[in-house]
Amino acid sequence: MFKGMFHTHVTFVFIYIIIYVVKVYLLLSNQHEALAKFRAKTKVIGEMIIPVIFLATGVFLALNSGDLGTWFYLKMALLVISIPLGVIAFRKNSKGLALLVLLLFALMMVLTYSRNKMASTNNVTSNSIDGKTLFETNCVKCHGQDGALGKSGSANLQMSKLEDEDIRAVIMNGKNMMPANPGNMNTDQINAVVDYIKTLRK
């Protein structure tokens, strides 16, 4: 369900941004009649339905994520500000305000897609090979202490049947919402985490 919600959220965000970019283009190129027609056709879906859907799915993803923090509240604040500002920009035909809102959308996207990298920043030393400590530092926010939390659509590690090499591949390359090599662990650290993960199996 989490993965489906994620794809729904991303799809509706991009649809909203495409509609908004078209309106900005028409406004900047002084095609006011075309802009008025386009706004009339997309007003209900583009300014009401789509924002509600991507806001609702975004809240669901955040509440079911292991990484609800400052990034989320900042993103929500920007979203709450940008949507009404966007409506005002086109009502007043304000090019500057429309561009400002477009900049806010870009900032929200940067926050969203960089948060995994930000969240993986930690103080694990390069010579640490305590698999449990590494797991607790990098993995528990989604997998939980016992490996079965399932936040952000993460796998239940208690039920995992993966071989060592496959576990290493997932850690190194990431999977779904999981970032590649959280914590920038070296080979010995990854092997220690693999060994610890196997102790969680039931």
Side-chain angles (χ1 to χ4, degrees):
M1 183 176 183
F2 187 93
K3 192 173 180 181
M5 280 288 192
F6 173 73
H7 290 305
T8 300
H9 178 72
V10 170
T11 299
F12 278 93
V13 167
F14 276 106
I15 291 172
Y16 183 84
I17 290 174
I18 288 169
I19 291 173
Y20 189 85
V21 167
V22 170
K23 291 192 293 187
V24 170
Y25 169 76
L26 293 173
L27 178 62
L28 294 179
S29 59
N30 295 315
Q31 298 182 51
H32 299 296
E33 187 177 333
L35 174 59
K37 288 179 181 178
F38 185 77
R39 282 196 67 213
K41 288 180 180 178
T42 61
K43 185 173 183 178
V44 173
I45 191 166
E47 295 180 9
M48 298 177 190
I49 296 174
I50 291 177
V52 168
I53 292 174
F54 76 63
L55 182 60
T57 53
V59 169
F60 173 87
L61 292 171
L63 294 177
N64 288 276
S65 169
D67 187 26
L68 180 58
T70 305
W71 73 272
F72 170 71
Y73 297 109
L74 181 55
K75 180 183 171 183
M76 287 298 104
L78 291 172
L79 186 61
V80 168
I81 292 169
S82 63
I83 290 177
L85 279 181
V87 174
I88 293 169
F90 291 106
R91 282 183 183 166
K92 295 185 176 290
N93 287 328
S94 171
K95 295 178 182 179
L97 194 54
L99 287 172
L100 174 63
V101 173
L102 197 58
L103 184 63
L104 291 176
F105 285 138
L107 181 56
M108 282 185 275
M109 291 180 71
V110 169
L111 278 172
T112 300
Y113 293 104
S114 66
R115 62 118 176 164
N116 282 337
K117 197 168 187 180
M118 290 159 52
S120 70
T121 303
N122 55 67
N123 58 3
V124 177
T125 59
S126 61
N127 61 0
S128 174
I129 54 171
D130 180 353
K132 181 179 181 185
T133 299
L134 289 164
F135 180 85
E136 289 174 346
T137 302
N138 298 296
C139 312
V140 290
K141 65 179 180 282
C142 293
H143 288 288
Q145 291 284 350
D146 61 358
L149 182 60
K151 289 284 187 178
S152 299
S154 62
N156 184 340
L157 301 180
Q158 292 184 4
M159 309 301 293
S160 175
K161 305 293 185 188
L162 294 179
E163 299 293 333
D164 290 12
E165 197 57 42
D166 296 322
I167 300 172
R168 274 192 286 272
V170 171
I171 293 172
M172 284 296 299
N173 303 316
K175 187 174 182 180
N176 298 329
M177 293 290 287
M178 176 181 165
N181 193 4
N184 298 313
M185 295 180 286
N186 60 36
T187 302
D188 289 338
Q189 291 173 325
I190 290 173
N191 289 337
V193 172
V194 170
D195 290 339
Y196 179 72
I197 285 172
K198 290 190 295 182
T199 69
L200 299 173
R201 294 177 177 176
K202 298 294 186 183

Short mmCIF file of all heavy atoms in Angstrom, two decimals, residues 105-164:
data_model
loop_
_atom_site.label_atom_id
_atom_site.label_comp_id
_atom_site.label_asym_id
_atom_site.label_seq_id
_atom_site.Cartn_x
_atom_site.Cartn_y
_atom_site.Cartn_z
N PHE A 105 7.95 25.44 -5.37
CA PHE A 105 7.73 24.04 -5.77
C PHE A 105 9.06 23.32 -5.99
O PHE A 105 9.22 22.17 -5.58
CB PHE A 105 6.89 23.97 -7.04
CG PHE A 105 5.44 24.26 -6.84
CD1 PHE A 105 4.75 25.04 -7.74
CD2 PHE A 105 4.75 23.76 -5.74
CE1 PHE A 105 3.40 25.32 -7.57
CE2 PHE A 105 3.41 24.04 -5.55
CZ PHE A 105 2.73 24.82 -6.46
N ALA A 106 10.00 24.01 -6.63
CA ALA A 106 11.32 23.42 -6.86
C ALA A 106 12.00 23.12 -5.53
O ALA A 106 12.61 22.06 -5.35
CB ALA A 106 12.18 24.36 -7.70
N LEU A 107 11.86 24.03 -4.57
CA LEU A 107 12.46 23.83 -3.25
C LEU A 107 11.83 22.63 -2.55
O LEU A 107 12.52 21.83 -1.90
CB LEU A 107 12.29 25.09 -2.40
CG LEU A 107 12.88 25.07 -0.99
CD1 LEU A 107 14.36 24.73 -1.02
CD2 LEU A 107 12.63 26.40 -0.29
N MET A 108 10.52 22.47 -2.69
CA MET A 108 9.83 21.31 -2.08
C MET A 108 10.33 20.00 -2.68
O MET A 108 10.50 19.01 -1.97
CB MET A 108 8.32 21.43 -2.26
CG MET A 108 7.65 22.39 -1.30
SD MET A 108 5.86 22.39 -1.44
CE MET A 108 5.64 23.56 -2.77
N MET A 109 10.55 20.00 -3.98
CA MET A 109 11.05 18.78 -4.62
C MET A 109 12.46 18.45 -4.14
O MET A 109 12.79 17.29 -3.91
CB MET A 109 11.01 18.95 -6.14
CG MET A 109 9.60 19.01 -6.71
SD MET A 109 9.56 19.20 -8.49
CE MET A 109 10.12 17.59 -9.02
N VAL A 110 13.28 19.48 -4.00
CA VAL A 110 14.64 19.26 -3.48
C VAL A 110 14.58 18.69 -2.07
O VAL A 110 15.30 17.74 -1.74
CB VAL A 110 15.45 20.58 -3.50
CG1 VAL A 110 16.75 20.43 -2.72
CG2 VAL A 110 15.73 21.01 -4.93
N LEU A 111 13.70 19.23 -1.24
CA LEU A 111 13.54 18.72 0.13
C LEU A 111 13.12 17.27 0.14
O LEU A 111 13.64 16.45 0.89
CB LEU A 111 12.49 19.55 0.88
CG LEU A 111 12.93 20.88 1.48
CD1 LEU A 111 11.72 21.65 2.01
CD2 LEU A 111 13.93 20.65 2.61
N THR A 112 12.18 16.93 -0.73
CA THR A 112 11.65 15.57 -0.77
C THR A 112 12.69 14.56 -1.22
O THR A 112 12.88 13.53 -0.58
CB THR A 112 10.43 15.50 -1.71
OG1 THR A 112 9.43 16.39 -1.23
CG2 THR A 112 9.87 14.08 -1.76
N TYR A 113 13.38 14.87 -2.31
CA TYR A 113 14.28 13.88 -2.90
C TYR A 113 15.68 13.89 -2.29
O TYR A 113 16.48 13.01 -2.57
CB TYR A 113 14.32 14.05 -4.42
CG TYR A 113 12.99 13.70 -5.03
CD1 TYR A 113 12.13 14.70 -5.47
CD2 TYR A 113 12.57 12.39 -5.10
CE1 TYR A 113 10.89 14.38 -6.00
CE2 TYR A 113 11.34 12.06 -5.62
CZ TYR A 113 10.50 13.05 -6.07
OH TYR A 113 9.26 12.74 -6.58
N SER A 114 15.96 14.86 -1.44
CA SER A 114 17.25 14.85 -0.77
C SER A 114 17.13 14.40 0.68
O SER A 114 18.12 14.19 1.34
CB SER A 114 17.90 16.24 -0.81
OG SER A 114 17.14 17.17 -0.06
N ARG A 115 15.92 14.21 1.16
CA ARG A 115 15.75 13.90 2.59
C ARG A 115 16.34 12.55 2.98
O ARG A 115 16.83 12.39 4.08
CB ARG A 115 14.30 13.99 3.01
CG ARG A 115 13.37 13.00 2.32
CD ARG A 115 12.76 12.09 3.33
NE ARG A 115 11.80 11.23 2.67
CZ ARG A 115 11.35 10.14 3.24
NH1 ARG A 115 11.77 9.79 4.42
NH2 ARG A 115 10.48 9.39 2.61
N ASN A 116 16.33 11.56 2.06
CA ASN A 116 16.95 10.28 2.38
C ASN A 116 18.44 10.45 2.63
O ASN A 116 19.01 9.84 3.53
CB ASN A 116 16.72 9.27 1.25
CG ASN A 116 15.34 8.68 1.29
OD1 ASN A 116 14.69 8.68 2.34
ND2 ASN A 116 14.86 8.20 0.17
N LYS A 117 19.06 11.30 1.80
CA LYS A 117 20.48 11.54 1.97
C LYS A 117 20.75 12.28 3.26
O LYS A 117 21.68 11.97 3.99
CB LYS A 117 21.00 12.35 0.77
CG LYS A 117 22.50 12.32 0.62
CD LYS A 117 22.90 12.88 -0.73
CE LYS A 117 24.39 12.68 -0.94
NZ LYS A 117 24.83 13.21 -2.23
N MET A 118 19.91 13.26 3.56
CA MET A 118 20.06 14.03 4.80
C MET A 118 19.84 13.13 6.01
O MET A 118 20.54 13.23 7.01
CB MET A 118 19.03 15.18 4.82
CG MET A 118 19.33 16.27 3.82
SD MET A 118 17.87 17.28 3.43
CE MET A 118 17.32 17.73 5.05
N ALA A 119 18.84 12.25 5.90
CA ALA A 119 18.51 11.39 7.04
C ALA A 119 19.59 10.36 7.32
O ALA A 119 19.73 9.86 8.43
CB ALA A 119 17.19 10.67 6.78
N SER A 120 20.38 10.05 6.27
CA SER A 120 21.40 9.02 6.47
C SER A 120 22.70 9.57 7.05
O SER A 120 23.62 8.82 7.36
CB SER A 120 21.70 8.33 5.13
OG SER A 120 22.36 9.22 4.27
N THR A 121 22.77 10.91 7.21
CA THR A 121 23.96 11.51 7.79
C THR A 121 24.04 11.12 9.26
O THR A 121 23.09 11.30 10.00
CB THR A 121 23.93 13.04 7.67
OG1 THR A 121 23.78 13.35 6.29
CG2 THR A 121 25.20 13.65 8.22
N ASN A 122 25.16 10.59 9.68
CA ASN A 122 25.29 10.17 11.08
C ASN A 122 26.74 10.23 11.48
O ASN A 122 27.60 10.59 10.70
CB ASN A 122 24.73 8.74 11.26
CG ASN A 122 25.39 7.77 10.31
OD1 ASN A 122 26.57 7.50 10.44
ND2 ASN A 122 24.64 7.24 9.35
N ASN A 123 26.98 9.83 12.72
CA ASN A 123 28.35 9.94 13.24
C ASN A 123 29.02 8.58 13.41
O ASN A 123 29.83 8.39 14.29
CB ASN A 123 28.34 10.69 14.58
CG ASN A 123 27.44 9.99 15.60
OD1 ASN A 123 26.88 8.93 15.33
ND2 ASN A 123 27.31 10.60 16.76
N VAL A 124 28.67 7.63 12.55
CA VAL A 124 29.29 6.31 12.62
C VAL A 124 30.73 6.41 12.13
O VAL A 124 30.99 6.94 11.06
CB VAL A 124 28.51 5.30 11.75
CG1 VAL A 124 29.21 3.95 11.76
CG2 VAL A 124 27.09 5.16 12.24
N THR A 125 31.66 5.93 12.89
CA THR A 125 33.06 6.01 12.51
C THR A 125 33.40 4.92 11.51
O THR A 125 32.75 3.88 11.46
CB THR A 125 33.98 5.86 13.74
OG1 THR A 125 33.69 4.60 14.36
CG2 THR A 125 33.72 6.98 14.73
N SER A 126 34.42 5.15 10.72
CA SER A 126 34.76 4.23 9.64
C SER A 126 35.25 2.89 10.15
O SER A 126 35.21 1.90 9.44
CB SER A 126 35.82 4.86 8.74
OG SER A 126 37.00 5.13 9.48
N ASN A 127 35.71 2.83 11.38
CA ASN A 127 36.23 1.55 11.88
C ASN A 127 35.22 0.83 12.76
O ASN A 127 35.55 -0.16 13.40
CB ASN A 127 37.54 1.77 12.64
CG ASN A 127 37.35 2.69 13.86
OD1 ASN A 127 36.26 3.15 14.12
ND2 ASN A 127 38.43 2.93 14.57
N SER A 128 33.98 1.33 12.81
CA SER A 128 32.97 0.67 13.62
C SER A 128 32.44 -0.55 12.88
O SER A 128 32.01 -0.45 11.74
CB SER A 128 31.81 1.64 13.88
OG SER A 128 30.77 0.97 14.54
N ILE A 129 32.51 -1.72 13.52
CA ILE A 129 32.00 -2.93 12.88
C ILE A 129 31.00 -3.64 13.79
O ILE A 129 30.79 -4.84 13.67
CB ILE A 129 33.14 -3.89 12.48
CG1 ILE A 129 34.05 -4.21 13.67
CG2 ILE A 129 33.95 -3.33 11.33
CD1 ILE A 129 35.05 -5.30 13.41
N ASP A 130 30.37 -2.90 14.68
CA ASP A 130 29.32 -3.44 15.53
C ASP A 130 28.03 -3.43 14.72
O ASP A 130 27.41 -2.38 14.52
CB ASP A 130 29.18 -2.59 16.79
CG ASP A 130 28.09 -3.11 17.72
OD1 ASP A 130 27.36 -4.05 17.32
OD2 ASP A 130 27.96 -2.59 18.84
N GLY A 131 27.63 -4.59 14.21
CA GLY A 131 26.46 -4.69 13.34
C GLY A 131 25.20 -4.16 13.97
O GLY A 131 24.39 -3.49 13.32
N LYS A 132 25.01 -4.44 15.26
CA LYS A 132 23.79 -3.98 15.94
C LYS A 132 23.75 -2.46 16.01
O LYS A 132 22.72 -1.84 15.74
CB LYS A 132 23.71 -4.58 17.35
CG LYS A 132 22.45 -4.18 18.09
CD LYS A 132 22.37 -4.79 19.48
CE LYS A 132 21.08 -4.35 20.16
NZ LYS A 132 21.00 -4.79 21.55
N THR A 133 24.88 -1.84 16.39
CA THR A 133 24.93 -0.38 16.48
C THR A 133 24.70 0.26 15.12
O THR A 133 23.96 1.24 15.00
CB THR A 133 26.30 0.07 17.03
OG1 THR A 133 26.47 -0.48 18.35
CG2 THR A 133 26.39 1.58 17.10
N LEU A 134 25.32 -0.31 14.10
CA LEU A 134 25.13 0.22 12.74
C LEU A 134 23.67 0.09 12.30
O LEU A 134 23.10 1.00 11.69
CB LEU A 134 26.04 -0.52 11.76
CG LEU A 134 27.53 -0.20 11.88
CD1 LEU A 134 28.36 -1.25 11.15
CD2 LEU A 134 27.82 1.19 11.35
N PHE A 135 23.07 -1.04 12.63
CA PHE A 135 21.66 -1.26 12.28
C PHE A 135 20.78 -0.24 13.01
O PHE A 135 19.88 0.36 12.41
CB PHE A 135 21.25 -2.69 12.67
CG PHE A 135 19.81 -3.01 12.35
CD1 PHE A 135 19.44 -3.44 11.09
CD2 PHE A 135 18.83 -2.87 13.32
CE1 PHE A 135 18.11 -3.73 10.79
CE2 PHE A 135 17.50 -3.16 13.04
CZ PHE A 135 17.15 -3.59 11.77
N GLU A 136 21.04 -0.04 14.30
CA GLU A 136 20.24 0.91 15.08
C GLU A 136 20.42 2.34 14.59
O GLU A 136 19.48 3.13 14.62
CB GLU A 136 20.62 0.81 16.56
CG GLU A 136 20.15 -0.49 17.21
CD GLU A 136 20.65 -0.66 18.64
OE1 GLU A 136 21.57 0.08 19.05
OE2 GLU A 136 20.12 -1.54 19.33
N THR A 137 21.61 2.66 14.10
CA THR A 137 21.87 4.02 13.60
C THR A 137 21.22 4.27 12.26
O THR A 137 20.67 5.35 12.02
CB THR A 137 23.39 4.24 13.47
OG1 THR A 137 24.01 4.03 14.74
CG2 THR A 137 23.70 5.66 12.99
N ASN A 138 21.26 3.27 11.38
CA ASN A 138 20.85 3.49 9.99
C ASN A 138 19.54 2.85 9.57
O ASN A 138 18.97 3.27 8.56
CB ASN A 138 21.95 2.95 9.05
CG ASN A 138 23.26 3.68 9.24
OD1 ASN A 138 23.37 4.86 9.00
ND2 ASN A 138 24.27 2.95 9.72
N CYS A 139 19.05 1.87 10.32
CA CYS A 139 17.96 1.05 9.79
C CYS A 139 16.68 1.04 10.63
O CYS A 139 15.61 0.77 10.10
CB CYS A 139 18.44 -0.40 9.62
SG CYS A 139 20.03 -0.55 8.76
N VAL A 140 16.79 1.29 11.94
CA VAL A 140 15.63 1.09 12.81
C VAL A 140 14.48 2.06 12.53
O VAL A 140 13.33 1.74 12.82
CB VAL A 140 15.98 1.17 14.32
CG1 VAL A 140 16.79 -0.02 14.74
CG2 VAL A 140 16.68 2.46 14.66
N LYS A 141 14.77 3.23 11.98
CA LYS A 141 13.69 4.19 11.77
C LYS A 141 12.63 3.64 10.82
O LYS A 141 11.47 4.04 10.88
CB LYS A 141 14.23 5.52 11.27
CG LYS A 141 14.87 5.50 9.90
CD LYS A 141 15.34 6.91 9.52
CE LYS A 141 16.00 6.94 8.15
NZ LYS A 141 17.36 6.44 8.19
N CYS A 142 13.01 2.72 9.95
CA CYS A 142 12.04 2.09 9.05
C CYS A 142 11.78 0.62 9.38
O CYS A 142 10.65 0.16 9.35
CB CYS A 142 12.51 2.20 7.60
SG CYS A 142 12.53 3.89 6.97
N HIS A 143 12.85 -0.11 9.72
CA HIS A 143 12.71 -1.54 9.99
C HIS A 143 12.34 -1.84 11.44
O HIS A 143 11.81 -2.92 11.73
CB HIS A 143 14.02 -2.28 9.65
CG HIS A 143 14.27 -2.38 8.18
ND1 HIS A 143 13.55 -3.20 7.34
CD2 HIS A 143 15.18 -1.74 7.39
CE1 HIS A 143 14.00 -3.08 6.10
NE2 HIS A 143 14.99 -2.19 6.10
N GLY A 144 12.61 -0.89 12.36
CA GLY A 144 12.33 -1.13 13.77
C GLY A 144 13.42 -1.93 14.44
O GLY A 144 14.25 -2.57 13.78
N GLN A 145 13.42 -1.92 15.78
CA GLN A 145 14.45 -2.64 16.54
C GLN A 145 14.45 -4.13 16.23
O GLN A 145 15.50 -4.77 16.20
CB GLN A 145 14.21 -2.44 18.05
CG GLN A 145 14.48 -1.03 18.54
CD GLN A 145 15.95 -0.71 18.67
OE1 GLN A 145 16.79 -1.59 18.56
NE2 GLN A 145 16.26 0.56 18.89
N ASP A 146 13.25 -4.69 16.00
CA ASP A 146 13.16 -6.14 15.76
C ASP A 146 13.10 -6.49 14.28
O ASP A 146 12.96 -7.65 13.91
CB ASP A 146 11.94 -6.72 16.47
CG ASP A 146 10.62 -6.12 15.98
OD1 ASP A 146 10.66 -5.22 15.12
OD2 ASP A 146 9.56 -6.55 16.47
N GLY A 147 13.21 -5.48 13.41
CA GLY A 147 13.21 -5.72 11.96
C GLY A 147 11.85 -5.85 11.33
O GLY A 147 11.74 -6.08 10.12
N ALA A 148 10.77 -5.71 12.12
CA ALA A 148 9.42 -5.96 11.59
C ALA A 148 8.53 -4.72 11.56
O ALA A 148 7.33 -4.84 11.38
CB ALA A 148 8.76 -7.05 12.44
N LEU A 149 9.10 -3.53 11.72
CA LEU A 149 8.28 -2.31 11.81
C LEU A 149 7.53 -2.00 10.51
O LEU A 149 6.37 -1.63 10.54
CB LEU A 149 9.16 -1.12 12.21
CG LEU A 149 8.45 0.22 12.40
CD1 LEU A 149 7.40 0.12 13.50
CD2 LEU A 149 9.46 1.31 12.75
N GLY A 150 8.22 -2.12 9.38
CA GLY A 150 7.56 -1.93 8.09
C GLY A 150 7.24 -0.51 7.70
O GLY A 150 6.36 -0.27 6.87
N LYS A 151 7.94 0.47 8.26
CA LYS A 151 7.72 1.86 7.87
C LYS A 151 8.27 2.10 6.47
O LYS A 151 9.21 1.44 6.02
CB LYS A 151 8.42 2.81 8.85
CG LYS A 151 7.75 2.88 10.22
CD LYS A 151 6.49 3.71 10.18
CE LYS A 151 5.92 3.92 11.57
NZ LYS A 151 4.72 4.76 11.55
N SER A 152 7.69 3.06 5.77
CA SER A 152 8.11 3.43 4.40
C SER A 152 8.11 2.24 3.46
O SER A 152 8.86 2.19 2.49
CB SER A 152 9.51 4.07 4.41
OG SER A 152 9.51 5.24 5.19
N GLY A 153 7.25 1.25 3.72
CA GLY A 153 7.16 0.08 2.86
C GLY A 153 8.34 -0.86 2.99
O GLY A 153 8.58 -1.68 2.10
N SER A 154 9.09 -0.76 4.09
CA SER A 154 10.28 -1.61 4.25
C SER A 154 9.90 -3.06 4.51
O SER A 154 8.84 -3.37 5.04
CB SER A 154 11.14 -1.09 5.41
OG SER A 154 10.42 -1.14 6.63
N ALA A 155 10.82 -3.94 4.14
CA ALA A 155 10.59 -5.39 4.29
C ALA A 155 10.64 -5.81 5.74
O ALA A 155 11.31 -5.19 6.56
CB ALA A 155 11.65 -6.15 3.49
N ASN A 156 9.91 -6.86 6.05
CA ASN A 156 9.96 -7.48 7.38
C ASN A 156 11.21 -8.37 7.41
O ASN A 156 11.23 -9.44 6.81
CB ASN A 156 8.70 -8.30 7.63
CG ASN A 156 8.66 -8.90 9.03
OD1 ASN A 156 9.68 -9.04 9.69
ND2 ASN A 156 7.47 -9.26 9.47
N LEU A 157 12.23 -7.92 8.12
CA LEU A 157 13.50 -8.65 8.14
C LEU A 157 13.41 -9.97 8.90
O LEU A 157 14.23 -10.85 8.70
CB LEU A 157 14.60 -7.77 8.75
CG LEU A 157 14.85 -6.45 8.00
CD1 LEU A 157 15.96 -5.65 8.69
CD2 LEU A 157 15.22 -6.71 6.54
N GLN A 158 12.41 -10.08 9.77
CA GLN A 158 12.22 -11.34 10.49
C GLN A 158 11.82 -12.46 9.54
O GLN A 158 12.12 -13.63 9.78
CB GLN A 158 11.15 -11.18 11.57
CG GLN A 158 11.55 -10.27 12.71
CD GLN A 158 10.49 -10.21 13.79
OE1 GLN A 158 9.48 -10.91 13.75
NE2 GLN A 158 10.72 -9.36 14.79
N MET A 159 11.14 -12.10 8.44
CA MET A 159 10.64 -13.09 7.51
C MET A 159 11.52 -13.24 6.27
O MET A 159 11.23 -14.03 5.38
CB MET A 159 9.21 -12.70 7.05
CG MET A 159 8.26 -12.39 8.20
SD MET A 159 8.05 -13.79 9.33
CE MET A 159 7.20 -14.93 8.25
N SER A 160 12.61 -12.47 6.21
CA SER A 160 13.46 -12.46 5.03
C SER A 160 14.16 -13.80 4.81
O SER A 160 14.63 -14.43 5.76
CB SER A 160 14.52 -11.36 5.16
OG SER A 160 15.43 -11.43 4.07
N LYS A 161 14.21 -14.22 3.54
CA LYS A 161 14.90 -15.45 3.16
C LYS A 161 16.10 -15.16 2.27
O LYS A 161 16.70 -16.05 1.68
CB LYS A 161 13.94 -16.38 2.40
CG LYS A 161 12.66 -16.70 3.14
CD LYS A 161 12.91 -17.54 4.37
CE LYS A 161 11.57 -17.93 5.01
NZ LYS A 161 11.76 -18.59 6.33
N LEU A 162 16.46 -13.87 2.17
CA LEU A 162 17.55 -13.47 1.27
C LEU A 162 18.89 -14.05 1.72
O LEU A 162 19.17 -14.15 2.92
CB LEU A 162 17.66 -11.95 1.21
CG LEU A 162 16.51 -11.17 0.57
CD1 LEU A 162 16.78 -9.67 0.63
CD2 LEU A 162 16.26 -11.63 -0.86
N GLU A 163 19.71 -14.39 0.73
CA GLU A 163 21.08 -14.83 1.00
C GLU A 163 21.93 -13.61 1.33
O GLU A 163 21.55 -12.46 1.04
CB GLU A 163 21.64 -15.55 -0.22
CG GLU A 163 20.88 -16.81 -0.63
CD GLU A 163 20.99 -17.92 0.41
OE1 GLU A 163 22.01 -17.94 1.14
OE2 GLU A 163 20.07 -18.75 0.48
N ASP A 164 23.11 -13.84 1.92
CA ASP A 164 23.99 -12.74 2.32
C ASP A 164 24.26 -11.77 1.18
O ASP A 164 24.21 -10.55 1.35
CB ASP A 164 25.33 -13.30 2.84
CG ASP A 164 25.17 -14.01 4.17
OD1 ASP A 164 24.02 -14.28 4.58
OD2 ASP A 164 26.20 -14.30 4.81
#
